[in-house]
Each structure stands twice: as structure tokens, then as C-alpha cells.
Amino acid sequence: VISHPKYQGSQRIAIFLSMPDEIQTEEIINDIFKQGKECFIPRYKPHCNHMDMLKLSSAEDISSLTLTSWNILQPSDDDSAREEALAGGGLDLIFMPGLGFDKKGNRLGRGKGYYDTYLERCIKHPSGKPYTIALAFREQICESVPVAENDVQVDEILYEDC
């Protein structure tokens, strides 16, 4: 991931904070800060499919986040001091999680459409749609995954042996 040309050429990067069953992103987050890039993480709104990408000030900033009912660390709802990526310069790259992927770039998420909805907002932003890379285990690559009309394909899927 760290040697990937899209990562190397990106300044404003959104990345998920890993759940135990996902590719662990801690080393990538540490490298984002080490290279002087800007790091944004998701804040999900429960009971709807709205998500924002909020700026982290450092890798250590993660310890100040609150744990949601889904067991995900994220900025609290009353945390209004953080920059939202689309309120600023947009994003260059988004690393995306998922449950399953196919080689056509289709992604099976957790069913709420957070990333699809967010990417639709990115497309309307002056900086345009960022490049998207899904991080997966080889076992998550399927022949095909079910897709809906509003699903947005990922640009690339990185997994072991790809």
C-alpha cells in the first residue's frame, strides 16, 4: 500500500479505522502522518446512510475518539472543530473496507450504503471523485457480489497476491 503510486501521489487521504475482521490500517495511518499527508476518517451517522470524513490531527489523536455502538472509533457527534474533507479541498484517495469484492470492482459493504452515498457527494464536489482502493483479504475476493443501482465501483482492490 505504502509504495502504491496513487498513495504516493496523494496528499488528502481518507482511511477507515479497522474493525477486528478487516485489514488493519494502523501502519498506513502512521505512514500518512510520517509523510506529512492529511488523514481523514469516517464519522457515521446512525439510523441513516450519512457519513463525513473528518480530519485527524495525528495518529495519537485516535485515542481521543469515542467508541460507537458498532464498536468503531470515530469523532463524537458534537466534535465540530475537525475539518470535513468536502468542506475543504476534497480528497485524493479513499481506502475502503468491505465484506466481499469481485474483480470488476464491485464491493459488498455492511448494507447501509455509507461509502456509496459519500462517493456520490464527492462526485459533486469541485475536486471530483477521489481514487478508491479497497483493502481486502484474498478470501474476500468472489466471482461476483450482488450490486444495486446506487453502488459505486471501487477503482482498485488490493489483496494478498494480487
Side-chain angles (χ1 to χ4, degrees):
V1 169
I2 289 168
S3 63
H4 193 287
K6 288 288 186 184
Y7 173 76
Q8 287 294 321
S10 294
Q11 184 60 31
R12 293 170 61 88
I13 299 170
I15 190 163
F16 58 97
L17 299 178
S18 314
M19 292 173 63
D21 62 346
E22 295 173 330
I23 295 289
Q24 297 302 294
T25 57
E26 185 178 344
E27 284 184 45
I28 302 167
I29 293 168
N30 288 335
D31 191 75
I32 290 170
F33 287 105
K34 187 173 134 202
Q35 291 201 35
K37 299 173 184 285
E38 295 175 88
C39 184
F40 295 82
I41 58 165
R43 178 172 66 191
Y44 308 92
K45 294 239 191 261
H47 315 300
C48 71
N49 63 357
H50 185 85
M51 176 178 76
D52 289 316
M53 291 292 185
L54 300 180
K55 189 173 184 178
L56 280 180
S57 58
S58 67
E60 297 73 34
D61 190 13
I62 293 170
S63 65
S64 73
L65 303 176
T66 55
L67 203 57
T68 68
S69 58
W70 298 324
N71 225 17
I72 298 172
L73 285 171
Q74 69 176 27
S76 63
D77 287 339
D78 60 358
D79 186 343
S80 58
R82 294 178 190 274
E83 176 190 342
E84 202 292 313
L86 297 181
L91 291 165
D92 303 317
L93 173 64
I94 299 178
F95 286 109
M96 298 173 63
L99 297 177
F101 308 91
D102 66 28
K103 291 185 178 173
K104 294 184 209 102
N106 295 312
R107 174 185 160 274
L108 181 66
R110 295 187 185 264
K112 296 274 189 189
Y114 285 106
Y115 279 89
D116 298 310
T117 304
Y118 191 78
L119 286 168
E120 289 298 329
R121 287 171 53 211
C122 290
I123 290 166
K124 294 175 183 145
H125 188 272
S127 66
K129 180 186 167 291
Y131 193 78
T132 54
I133 297 177
L135 301 177
F137 296 108
R138 181 178 46 243
E139 295 79 8
Q140 292 176 286
I141 308 303
C142 308
E143 198 59 44
S144 69
V145 296
V147 291
E149 180 178 307
N150 60 331
D151 288 345
V152 179
Q153 288 183 319
V154 295
D155 294 310
E156 191 172 346
I157 302 161
L158 291 184
Y159 60 95
E160 195 176 46
D161 302 334
C162 73

